Amino acid sequence: MRTVEWDPIHQAVQLIDQRQLPGNFTTVSFRDVPALAEAIRAMVVRGAPAIGVTAAFGMALGAYNSNAASVEGLRADLKASAGLLGAARPTAVNLAWALERMLAAAAMPVSSPDELRERMLRMAQQMADEDVETNRRMALIGAELIADGDTIIHHCNTGALAAVDWGTALGCIRMAHEQGKRVHVLVDETRPRLQGARLTAWELGRWGIPYEIITDNAAGYFLRSGQAQKVMFGADRVAANGDVANKIGTYMLALAAHANGVPVFAVMPASSIDLSLANGNCIPIEERDEAEVLDLQVNGQPAAPAGARARNPAFDITPHELLTALVTERGVVYPPFETNLPGIFQATKSRE
Ligand code: MRU
């Protein structure tokens, strides 16, 4: 099933509850926009493309829940929904990108509020379908970069769960595996939310791809000792110069790979690229509750002393100099990114 779906019977947004995995595969339904915004913040659903499409369905939810009797009234309610959903998480630009697309569709001429409600749902469905297609295309392109026999270090979760289906970096690995290449994945645990140990390992197991979980601080050892041929991860936002915001720990991983001459590929849809920001320093970094760090237990006891404080940035910036290439559904982008990244958007425009 898809990570996010519209439930037409209950007019609700249905999500796989990613907080429960790998122990329980459960879905949970949301029938109002504030609850859905909270689900994004609490990471019931997470991963840049997945939260973008969830927000798009949230706009459809907002449209059906609005009592507005006029088109203008409904548009005002939709703006309020977009405000709530957009504030849920700041770093992944896919959230703002999806909401902007929905608001642009809402602004187009329409003859009645009901027609606008239907349009919102149709648009969200279209974005969900596009997401699957985009990720599949990206997987085919990225799989070309993977050689038979590669061991790949992967950070966070970038699989089907991070999108509507397929995913970004993990989608490329899955495609390479389906093409018959022998791949082995070293799965970064990804402290503190353990998206690697919990979600990536679960997905790799389902697909039958061999993997081993490593602690985040073990990656340097494997890279220096020649036990990994590639590093692959996703992106929550890419600036115009190619700097990448991704899950905390990505920067250290890329530094270690670069220092050891191991190629580093960041994989993302064009909707994660934000050409309005000159470089990574302009990307807002979400800082989450310190409890996510301090909740760790060892032998049934809290790992940290009582009263300890923690810092919990959820993302970091990997400077573009450390990246071998950016993989998108529009092709592989090599340095210089500042010149080549806008090129993928122009190439599409001239084809349209
Ligand atoms: O905090 P999360 O789990 O939403 O962070 C997810 C990531 O950092 C992914 O690597 C990123 O969204 C790109 S992959 C779809």
Side-chain angles (χ1 to χ4, degrees):
M1 81 165 271
R2 290 180 171 193
T3 303
V4 48
E5 280 182 320
W6 180 255
D7 171 354
I9 297 167
H10 302 102
Q11 290 198 332
V13 180
Q14 185 175 287
L15 302 173
I16 294 174
D17 189 344
Q18 302 194 28
R19 296 165 308 176
Q20 305 293 327
L21 287 169
N24 296 308
F25 183 92
T26 53
T27 59
V28 54
S29 284
F30 296 91
R31 298 182 74 160
D32 65 74
V33 172
L36 189 67
E38 175 54 23
I40 295 173
R41 198 207 54 75
M43 296 171 66
V44 175
V45 61
R46 28 70 47 204
I51 61 177
V53 173
T54 302
F57 279 119
M59 293 292 280
L61 197 58
Y64 281 106
N65 284 349
S66 162
N67 295 323
S70 71
V71 168
E72 275 324 305
L74 181 51
R75 283 187 179 132
D77 285 350
L78 283 170
K79 274 213 178 94
S81 293
L84 266 181
L85 293 160
R89 294 193 78 188
T91 302
V93 72
N94 306 62
L95 190 57
W97 170 87
L99 292 169
E100 273 163 29
R101 269 187 82 178
M102 295 298 285
L103 286 174
M108 302 283 280
V110 68
S111 58
S112 72
D114 276 347
E115 191 186 327
L116 183 47
R117 289 184 177 95
E118 281 163 29
R119 181 190 291 167
M120 288 292 94
L121 179 56
R122 231 186 7 259
M123 185 72 189
Q125 289 284 15
Q126 184 188 320
M127 285 169 71
D129 294 343
E130 274 175 22
D131 185 79
V132 179
E133 188 42 41
T134 295
N135 287 319
R136 244 189 79 83
R137 220 174 311 143
M138 211 154 45
L140 281 165
I141 292 169
E144 294 287 311
L145 301 166
I146 297 171
D148 186 34
D150 270 355
T151 291
I152 302 165
I153 301 186
H154 175 274
H155 197 63
C156 195
N157 172 265
T158 67
L161 290 167
V164 180
D165 203 351
W166 274 94
T168 59
L170 210 59
C172 302
I173 293 170
R174 175 181 168 190
M175 185 63 85
H177 167 77
E178 288 190 4
Q179 290 170 344
K181 290 177 187 165
R182 285 162 303 162
V183 284
H184 187 88
V185 186
L186 293 175
V187 177
D188 272 358
E189 275 184 319
T190 317
R191 281 274 295 149
R193 297 289 298 233
L194 301 174
Q195 289 94 328
R198 295 191 306 109
L199 307 175
T200 296
W202 182 74
E203 290 198 43
L204 288 170
R206 277 165 54 110
W207 301 331
I209 301 174
Y211 70 88
E212 290 158 308
I213 296 171
I214 61 172
T215 57
D216 301 337
N217 46 3
Y221 163 77
F222 287 104
L223 288 160
R224 189 169 146 71
S225 56
Q227 296 184 64
Q229 286 70 49
K230 271 160 201 123
V231 164
M232 283 187 134
F233 46 77
D236 286 81
R237 194 183 301 222
V238 181
N241 69 343
D243 289 355
V244 163
N246 191 52
K247 181 51 54 196
I248 193 74
T250 303
Y251 174 42
M252 289 203 316
L253 175 61
L255 270 176
H258 190 258
N260 289 286
V262 175
V264 179
F265 296 106
V267 186
M268 78 291 302
S271 55
S272 301
I273 298 169
D274 186 352
L275 294 182
S276 76
L277 301 184
N279 59 57
N281 297 338
C282 311
I283 300 177
I285 297 294
E286 176 184 13
E287 185 140 355
R288 295 182 63 86
D289 196 325
E290 64 178 353
E292 291 183 347
V293 176
L294 297 171
D295 277 353
L296 180 72
Q297 300 234 334
V298 177
N299 298 329
Q301 306 281 339
R309 304 300 311 265
R311 293 289 303 273
N312 186 17
F315 300 95
D316 59 25
I317 305 294
T318 298
H320 60 93
E321 296 88 347
L322 301 178
L323 301 169
T324 307
L326 303 173
V327 181
T328 79
E329 77 277 21
R330 300 173 183 202
V332 181
V333 185
Y334 290 96
F337 298 119
E338 216 144 20
T339 320
N340 295 343
L341 208 45
I344 63 166
F345 293 96
Q346 281 151 17
T348 312
K349 264 199 194 113
S350 59
R351 270 204 306 272
E352 277 163 2

PDB file of all heavy atoms in Angstrom, residues 43 46-49 89 156-158 162 168 195 234-236 246-247 315, ligand 1:
ATOM      1  N   MET A  43       5.849  13.091  13.252  1.00  0.00           N
ATOM      2  CA  MET A  43       6.513  12.104  12.398  1.00  0.00           C
ATOM      3  C   MET A  43       5.773  10.768  12.320  1.00  0.00           C
ATOM      4  O   MET A  43       6.390   9.713  12.208  1.00  0.00           O
ATOM      5  CB  MET A  43       7.979  11.921  12.809  1.00  0.00           C
ATOM      6  CG  MET A  43       8.765  13.208  12.612  1.00  0.00           C
ATOM      7  SD  MET A  43      10.433  13.219  13.279  1.00  0.00           S
ATOM      8  CE  MET A  43      11.231  11.999  12.263  1.00  0.00           C
ATOM      9  N   ARG A  46       6.844  10.833   7.609  1.00  0.00           N
ATOM     10  CA  ARG A  46       8.058  11.635   7.525  1.00  0.00           C
ATOM     11  C   ARG A  46       8.731  11.320   6.206  1.00  0.00           C
ATOM     12  O   ARG A  46       8.324  10.420   5.480  1.00  0.00           O
ATOM     13  CB  ARG A  46       8.998  11.474   8.735  1.00  0.00           C
ATOM     14  CG  ARG A  46       8.992  10.183   9.486  1.00  0.00           C
ATOM     15  CD  ARG A  46       9.587   9.016   8.735  1.00  0.00           C
ATOM     16  NE  ARG A  46      10.856   9.365   8.113  1.00  0.00           N
ATOM     17  CZ  ARG A  46      11.382   8.768   7.072  1.00  0.00           C
ATOM     18  NH1 ARG A  46      10.704   7.748   6.499  1.00  0.00           N
ATOM     19  NH2 ARG A  46      12.523   9.108   6.549  1.00  0.00           N
ATOM     20  N   GLY A  47       9.802  12.069   5.886  1.00  0.00           N
ATOM     21  CA  GLY A  47      10.425  11.948   4.569  1.00  0.00           C
ATOM     22  C   GLY A  47       9.870  13.064   3.689  1.00  0.00           C
ATOM     23  O   GLY A  47       8.658  13.274   3.656  1.00  0.00           O
ATOM     24  N   ALA A  48      10.768  13.762   2.995  1.00  0.00           N
ATOM     25  CA  ALA A  48      10.378  14.993   2.291  1.00  0.00           C
ATOM     26  C   ALA A  48       9.225  14.798   1.290  1.00  0.00           C
ATOM     27  O   ALA A  48       8.209  15.503   1.370  1.00  0.00           O
ATOM     28  CB  ALA A  48      11.610  15.604   1.628  1.00  0.00           C
ATOM     29  N   PRO A  49       9.320  13.841   0.341  1.00  0.00           N
ATOM     30  CA  PRO A  49       8.210  13.718  -0.605  1.00  0.00           C
ATOM     31  C   PRO A  49       6.910  13.289   0.074  1.00  0.00           C
ATOM     32  O   PRO A  49       5.824  13.757  -0.290  1.00  0.00           O
ATOM     33  CB  PRO A  49       8.687  12.638  -1.599  1.00  0.00           C
ATOM     34  CG  PRO A  49      10.174  12.582  -1.425  1.00  0.00           C
ATOM     35  CD  PRO A  49      10.431  12.934  -0.002  1.00  0.00           C
ATOM     36  N   ARG A  89       6.686  21.402   9.752  1.00  0.00           N
ATOM     37  CA  ARG A  89       8.127  21.113   9.725  1.00  0.00           C
ATOM     38  C   ARG A  89       8.783  22.078   8.736  1.00  0.00           C
ATOM     39  O   ARG A  89       8.298  22.223   7.609  1.00  0.00           O
ATOM     40  CB  ARG A  89       8.394  19.647   9.327  1.00  0.00           C
ATOM     41  CG  ARG A  89       7.880  18.646  10.366  1.00  0.00           C
ATOM     42  CD  ARG A  89       8.420  17.255  10.124  1.00  0.00           C
ATOM     43  NE  ARG A  89       9.787  17.120  10.572  1.00  0.00           N
ATOM     44  CZ  ARG A  89      10.547  16.045  10.329  1.00  0.00           C
ATOM     45  NH1 ARG A  89      10.053  15.039   9.639  1.00  0.00           N
ATOM     46  NH2 ARG A  89      11.787  15.985  10.764  1.00  0.00           N
ATOM     47  N   CYS A 156      19.616   7.435   7.118  1.00  0.00           N
ATOM     48  CA  CYS A 156      18.204   7.737   7.394  1.00  0.00           C
ATOM     49  C   CYS A 156      17.294   6.728   6.676  1.00  0.00           C
ATOM     50  O   CYS A 156      17.695   5.597   6.401  1.00  0.00           O
ATOM     51  CB  CYS A 156      17.865   9.165   6.997  1.00  0.00           C
ATOM     52  SG  CYS A 156      16.291   9.775   7.667  1.00  0.00           S
ATOM     53  N   ASN A 157      16.077   7.124   6.375  1.00  0.00           N
ATOM     54  CA  ASN A 157      15.207   6.284   5.538  1.00  0.00           C
ATOM     55  C   ASN A 157      14.780   7.095   4.338  1.00  0.00           C
ATOM     56  O   ASN A 157      14.226   8.192   4.476  1.00  0.00           O
ATOM     57  CB  ASN A 157      13.963   5.796   6.282  1.00  0.00           C
ATOM     58  CG  ASN A 157      12.999   5.108   5.319  1.00  0.00           C
ATOM     59  OD1 ASN A 157      12.083   5.735   4.809  1.00  0.00           O
ATOM     60  ND2 ASN A 157      13.236   3.846   5.012  1.00  0.00           N
ATOM     61  N   THR A 158      15.071   6.546   3.179  1.00  0.00           N
ATOM     62  CA  THR A 158      14.724   7.237   1.925  1.00  0.00           C
ATOM     63  C   THR A 158      13.939   6.282   1.029  1.00  0.00           C
ATOM     64  O   THR A 158      13.934   6.422  -0.184  1.00  0.00           O
ATOM     65  CB  THR A 158      15.994   7.698   1.173  1.00  0.00           C
ATOM     66  OG1 THR A 158      16.698   6.527   0.718  1.00  0.00           O
ATOM     67  CG2 THR A 158      16.914   8.521   2.052  1.00  0.00           C
ATOM     68  N   ALA A 162       9.369   7.007   2.814  1.00  0.00           N
ATOM     69  CA  ALA A 162       9.716   8.436   2.812  1.00  0.00           C
ATOM     70  C   ALA A 162       9.046   9.179   1.661  1.00  0.00           C
ATOM     71  O   ALA A 162       9.177  10.405   1.547  1.00  0.00           O
ATOM     72  CB  ALA A 162      11.234   8.596   2.723  1.00  0.00           C
ATOM     73  N   THR A 168      13.684   7.603  -2.665  1.00  0.00           N
ATOM     74  CA  THR A 168      14.753   8.296  -3.401  1.00  0.00           C
ATOM     75  C   THR A 168      16.001   7.407  -3.462  1.00  0.00           C
ATOM     76  O   THR A 168      16.094   6.540  -4.323  1.00  0.00           O
ATOM     77  CB  THR A 168      15.011   9.670  -2.767  1.00  0.00           C
ATOM     78  OG1 THR A 168      15.396   9.500  -1.392  1.00  0.00           O
ATOM     79  CG2 THR A 168      13.766  10.554  -2.828  1.00  0.00           C
ATOM     80  N   GLN A 195      15.597   6.126  12.046  1.00  0.00           N
ATOM     81  CA  GLN A 195      14.914   5.826  10.781  1.00  0.00           C
ATOM     82  C   GLN A 195      15.650   4.741  10.000  1.00  0.00           C
ATOM     83  O   GLN A 195      15.031   3.997   9.229  1.00  0.00           O
ATOM     84  CB  GLN A 195      14.821   7.091   9.908  1.00  0.00           C
ATOM     85  CG  GLN A 195      13.856   8.148  10.410  1.00  0.00           C
ATOM     86  CD  GLN A 195      14.570   9.182  11.252  1.00  0.00           C
ATOM     87  OE1 GLN A 195      15.534   8.883  11.942  1.00  0.00           O
ATOM     88  NE2 GLN A 195      14.085  10.404  11.217  1.00  0.00           N
ATOM     89  N   GLY A 234      19.299  10.837   0.751  1.00  0.00           N
ATOM     90  CA  GLY A 234      18.314  11.707   0.106  1.00  0.00           C
ATOM     91  C   GLY A 234      18.594  13.157   0.420  1.00  0.00           C
ATOM     92  O   GLY A 234      19.722  13.537   0.776  1.00  0.00           O
ATOM     93  N   ALA A 235      17.583  13.998   0.278  1.00  0.00           N
ATOM     94  CA  ALA A 235      17.724  15.425   0.589  1.00  0.00           C
ATOM     95  C   ALA A 235      16.365  15.978   0.975  1.00  0.00           C
ATOM     96  O   ALA A 235      15.343  15.572   0.427  1.00  0.00           O
ATOM     97  CB  ALA A 235      18.258  16.186  -0.623  1.00  0.00           C
ATOM     98  N   ASP A 236      16.392  16.884   1.922  1.00  0.00           N
ATOM     99  CA  ASP A 236      15.146  17.579   2.293  1.00  0.00           C
ATOM    100  C   ASP A 236      15.051  18.919   1.581  1.00  0.00           C
ATOM    101  O   ASP A 236      13.951  19.444   1.392  1.00  0.00           O
ATOM    102  CB  ASP A 236      15.072  17.750   3.806  1.00  0.00           C
ATOM    103  CG  ASP A 236      14.748  16.408   4.453  1.00  0.00           C
ATOM    104  OD1 ASP A 236      15.681  15.601   4.623  1.00  0.00           O
ATOM    105  OD2 ASP A 236      13.560  16.155   4.706  1.00  0.00           O
ATOM    106  N   ASN A 246      19.997  17.490   4.766  1.00  0.00           N
ATOM    107  CA  ASN A 246      19.453  16.131   4.942  1.00  0.00           C
ATOM    108  C   ASN A 246      19.598  15.735   6.418  1.00  0.00           C
ATOM    109  O   ASN A 246      20.148  16.503   7.221  1.00  0.00           O
ATOM    110  CB  ASN A 246      20.156  15.141   4.007  1.00  0.00           C
ATOM    111  CG  ASN A 246      19.454  13.797   3.969  1.00  0.00           C
ATOM    112  OD1 ASN A 246      18.242  13.735   3.746  1.00  0.00           O
ATOM    113  ND2 ASN A 246      20.170  12.716   4.214  1.00  0.00           N
ATOM    114  N   LYS A 247      19.118  14.575   6.743  1.00  0.00           N
ATOM    115  CA  LYS A 247      19.083  14.089   8.135  1.00  0.00           C
ATOM    116  C   LYS A 247      20.410  14.319   8.845  1.00  0.00           C
ATOM    117  O   LYS A 247      21.476  14.094   8.262  1.00  0.00           O
ATOM    118  CB  LYS A 247      18.721  12.601   8.114  1.00  0.00           C
ATOM    119  CG  LYS A 247      18.620  11.910   9.455  1.00  0.00           C
ATOM    120  CD  LYS A 247      17.743  12.609  10.456  1.00  0.00           C
ATOM    121  CE  LYS A 247      16.355  12.882   9.932  1.00  0.00           C
ATOM    122  NZ  LYS A 247      15.624  13.891  10.766  1.00  0.00           N
ATOM    123  N   PHE A 315      18.474  18.111  11.122  1.00  0.00           N
ATOM    124  CA  PHE A 315      19.109  18.084   9.794  1.00  0.00           C
ATOM    125  C   PHE A 315      20.458  18.787   9.867  1.00  0.00           C
ATOM    126  O   PHE A 315      20.728  19.529  10.814  1.00  0.00           O
ATOM    127  CB  PHE A 315      18.207  18.806   8.766  1.00  0.00           C
ATOM    128  CG  PHE A 315      16.852  18.154   8.641  1.00  0.00           C
ATOM    129  CD1 PHE A 315      15.769  18.628   9.372  1.00  0.00           C
ATOM    130  CD2 PHE A 315      16.657  17.038   7.835  1.00  0.00           C
ATOM    131  CE1 PHE A 315      14.521  18.015   9.293  1.00  0.00           C
ATOM    132  CE2 PHE A 315      15.416  16.416   7.758  1.00  0.00           C
ATOM    133  CZ  PHE A 315      14.347  16.905   8.484  1.00  0.00           C
TER     134      PHE A 315
HETATM  135  O1  MRU B   1      13.101  13.642   9.823  1.00  0.00           O
HETATM  136  P1  MRU B   1      12.757  12.809   8.616  1.00  0.00           P
HETATM  137  O2  MRU B   1      12.679  11.356   8.904  1.00  0.00           O
HETATM  138  O3  MRU B   1      11.533  13.346   7.896  1.00  0.00           O
HETATM  139  O4  MRU B   1      13.973  13.038   7.649  1.00  0.00           O
HETATM  140  C1  MRU B   1      13.988  12.401   6.399  1.00  0.00           C
HETATM  141  C2  MRU B   1      15.254  12.567   5.681  1.00  0.00           C
HETATM  142  O5  MRU B   1      16.141  13.253   6.122  1.00  0.00           O
HETATM  143  C3  MRU B   1      15.359  11.939   4.348  1.00  0.00           C
HETATM  144  O6  MRU B   1      16.666  11.600   4.097  1.00  0.00           O
HETATM  145  C4  MRU B   1      14.858  12.952   3.329  1.00  0.00           C
HETATM  146  O7  MRU B   1      13.514  13.297   3.548  1.00  0.00           O
HETATM  147  C5  MRU B   1      15.054  12.593   1.927  1.00  0.00           C
HETATM  148  S1  MRU B   1      14.521  11.005   1.403  1.00  0.00           S
HETATM  149  C6  MRU B   1      12.960  11.072   0.933  1.00  0.00           C
END
